[in-house]
Amino acid sequence: MKLKPTTFWLLFAALILGSVSLWSLQQPPRTEEAGQTTPQKLFAIEESQIQSLTVKKPDQTLVFEKDENGVWQMKQPQQGVANDAAVAFLANLLATGTSDRTFSIPPADLATYGLDQPTTTIEFTTADGKPHTLALGNKNFNQSAIYALIDAPENPQNLTVSLVSLDFETATGRSPDAWLQPSPAASPSPSPGE
């Protein structure tokens, strides 16, 4: 039996493609896709270690400190007992927040990510007196995360930019009054005739 030349070349091509397919199926799967990394904690701290918090925005600065009883107090722009839920939410984000992607940039590229003039800067001090900073810039291209600098050095050659949760925008976007403990609601007075 004699094969026509075109049939021979088709069989040869099928044999090559089949071999390549079989070889690729036998390769171990890639465990990490390009551009993805294992989520890393932003700060190696526990929420209970945070003793003071400062939230700086272009138009306002909020300062909070724990008193001797561990109760959060607002020191600036007003003074009073802080809304525990609002401060605890931010403190918890700082302690448990992660970033699944980081990359290095030269300082000249800070404006590209909105980090030359951050929208919000969060400064906090832990019980051991160590200060930390988280500067928030623009949202990423698909609006799913925020570019951030974590404890950036003063005069770096390169800076590490992290992508952090949009929850930081929610946590710091409150009005100054929302950071204060709400006053207890007055009990309704009985109406006449009761």
Side-chain angles (χ1 to χ4, degrees):
M1 171 172 106
K2 189 173 183 185
L3 292 175
K4 292 182 180 180
T6 54
T7 307
F8 173 75
W9 287 110
L10 286 175
L11 285 173
F12 182 70
L15 181 63
I16 296 297
L17 288 174
S19 298
V20 169
S21 295
L22 184 61
W23 176 79
S24 66
L25 288 174
Q26 292 177 347
Q27 296 301 310
R30 292 180 65 184
T31 57
E32 206 173 281
E33 293 294 324
Q36 292 183 342
T37 60
T38 304
Q40 299 290 320
K41 280 188 77 170
L42 302 178
F43 301 100
I45 60 163
E46 297 295 324
E47 181 181 345
S48 61
Q49 293 176 302
I50 300 173
Q51 297 299 308
S52 67
L53 272 167
T54 301
V55 178
K56 294 181 180 179
K57 292 183 163 277
D59 59 341
Q60 70 182 1
T61 298
L62 304 163
V63 179
F64 304 93
E65 292 178 5
K66 276 187 183 175
D67 64 13
E68 61 277 351
N69 297 322
V71 177
W72 284 103
Q73 302 290 324
M74 179 187 269
K75 299 294 184 179
Q76 187 181 333
Q78 303 171 37
Q79 292 202 1
V81 177
N83 181 338
D84 190 53
V87 178
F89 179 55
L90 179 56
N92 182 267
L93 276 176
L94 292 167
T96 63
T98 61
S99 175
D100 62 355
R101 197 167 112 210
T102 61
F103 54 94
S104 293
I105 62 167
D109 289 351
L110 283 173
T112 303
Y113 302 98
L115 293 166
D116 59 331
Q117 296 179 359
T119 58
T120 305
T121 301
I122 304 164
E123 299 171 350
F124 65 96
T125 306
T126 54
D128 60 5
K130 186 172 182 185
H132 294 280
T133 304
L134 176 68
L136 303 174
N138 297 334
K139 293 179 185 173
N140 65 343
F141 70 95
N142 64 1
Q143 308 291 303
S144 64
I146 302 171
Y147 295 114
L149 287 176
I150 301 167
D151 288 338
E154 287 294 318
N155 298 311
Q157 296 296 323
N158 281 316
L159 293 165
T160 300
V161 175
S162 301
L163 285 170
V164 299
S165 170
L166 293 175
D167 289 339
F168 281 102
E169 187 177 71
T170 304
T172 60
R174 306 171 194 274
S175 68
D177 292 337
W179 288 98
L180 286 170
Q181 183 67 33
S183 58
S187 58
S189 57
S191 59
E194 285 188 20

